[in-house]
Amino acid sequence: MKNTWIKTALGLCLALGLTATAHAERRLNVFIWSEYMDPEIISDFEKQFDCKVVIDLYEDNESMMAKLQSGGDSLYDICVPGNYIIPLLIQQNLLAPLRPENIPNMKNLSPSFQNPSYDPGNQYTVAYQWGTVGIYMRKPAGGTIDETWGLLFDSAKQPGPFFLMDSIREMMGCALKYRGFSVNTVNIDELRDVQAVLADSKDRSLGFEGGVGGKNKVLARTATAAIVYNGDAIRAIADDPETVYFVPREGGVIWCDNLAIPAKAPNRDLAEKFINFILEPEVGARLSNYNQYATPNEAAKAFITPEDLANPAIYPPDDMMAKLEFVNDVGSDTELYDEIWTQLKSE
């Protein structure tokens, strides 16, 4: 009788242990930009898939990549890289191939986000949100703004204290467009030209901030202007209508952030369920209505707030779209950008 009781107890403990282990495995570790996910979407996913979503944050692509390189590819199940860094992540075997049969909602992507140049065939990524980089600033007393990058890159036009963006390719891309160059140039003379522009601007600035940090500094009146992502600015304008966002007339950077699965993700199946969930039309619309970034999900557009669809700061008009460039991977010439950026940050 005693042995039977012991066996029963051991069996119960084993069952409880297996249940606890199974429950522990229902955890999704998401590595994402700050202020970039509707908490209610996370809550709904947790309820539907009986899991816990744990979120860790970063402020730039380079920090995200460094974390994956140092072992984060086995810690996180989802990351959200920008388009230009994806080829590097793939080359370094930091991403797991997607299994399309587990993500049927990939069909909802707009044609322009299927088969992107940075990830042919969407082998490793699906588009999450897209938008622009521009100037967020407090409206001047006179009400008129000369919408040029010169506000930050020309001392004669400076509107007040400002922050530069702490993101190498996007920050350099803004200065390159100001000087009339491509954001993907590998011409050393053009890059040195822009290095001088940025060095002067840095000396007059309050320093470098991530997009969210720059936006918060303008809201707090610590700065008059900052270079930020459009969605951060649009949400901030709702809090303070005396602020404004625009992409300067010279043009600028268009970006696309993407959902991806790190190479050694502990919960790959659940990660694919999450990607498929985000690509649901109504969920995709909720995401963009929350972030106020443009959706790459064609099926979601029917559920987007009409005012947002009509907002040129979210969906730029054709004449501005023609002046925008994606930041692309420039291969070994990336070292040119890294060298200039390191010098700028250390001076």
Side-chain angles (χ1 to χ4, degrees), residues 99-117:
R99 296 172 293 187
E101 64 274 16
N102 295 337
I103 313 173
N105 285 331
M106 286 176 70
K107 68 181 186 296
N108 293 333
L109 286 173
S110 300
S112 55
F113 292 98
Q114 296 179 20
N115 196 37
S117 61

Side-chain angles (χ1 to χ4, degrees), residues 39-58:
E40 292 186 5
I41 290 177
I42 293 296
S43 178
D44 288 348
F45 180 80
E46 290 175 326
K47 291 174 184 175
Q48 183 170 333
F49 293 95
D50 187 27
C51 66
K52 174 66 177 175
V53 176
V54 178
I55 292 181
D56 199 2
L57 304 175
Y58 58 87

Side-chain angles (χ1 to χ4, degrees), residues 153-290:
F153 299 142
D154 181 348
S155 60
K157 296 180 181 293
Q158 184 175 328
F162 65 92
F163 280 95
L164 300 173
M165 177 176 271
D166 195 7
S167 179
I168 173 174
R169 292 296 304 278
E170 288 158 330
M171 185 64 255
M172 291 185 67
C174 297
L176 285 164
K177 294 299 284 188
Y178 171 64
R179 296 294 293 160
F181 307 137
S182 168
V183 302
N184 298 302
T185 184
V186 293
N187 182 301
I188 189 61
D189 292 331
E190 294 176 353
L191 289 171
R192 290 302 180 195
D193 179 295
V194 161
Q195 180 178 7
V197 170
L198 287 173
D200 172 71
S201 185
K202 177 196 171 185
D203 289 344
R204 293 182 288 106
S205 77
L206 296 175
F208 294 88
E209 278 281 356
V212 171
K215 174 263 296 185
N216 288 338
K217 293 296 197 303
V218 174
L219 278 178
R221 298 177 182 269
T222 303
T224 299
I227 297 176
V228 305
Y229 299 109
N230 60 318
D232 294 329
I234 292 161
R235 294 194 303 277
I237 290 169
D239 294 329
D240 188 344
E242 292 305 309
T243 59
V244 65
Y245 171 86
F246 56 89
V247 178
R249 58 176 175 266
E250 297 92 349
V253 172
I254 183 174
W255 52 265
C256 180
D257 286 334
N258 300 260
L259 295 171
I261 301 175
K264 301 174 184 176
N267 298 292
R268 186 180 178 189
D269 290 345
L270 190 59
E272 289 177 333
K273 286 182 171 60
F274 181 79
I275 293 174
N276 197 60
F277 181 77
I278 293 296
L279 289 175
E280 288 283 349
E282 292 193 38
V283 175
R286 287 171 59 194
L287 177 67
S288 285
N289 288 337
Y290 173 84

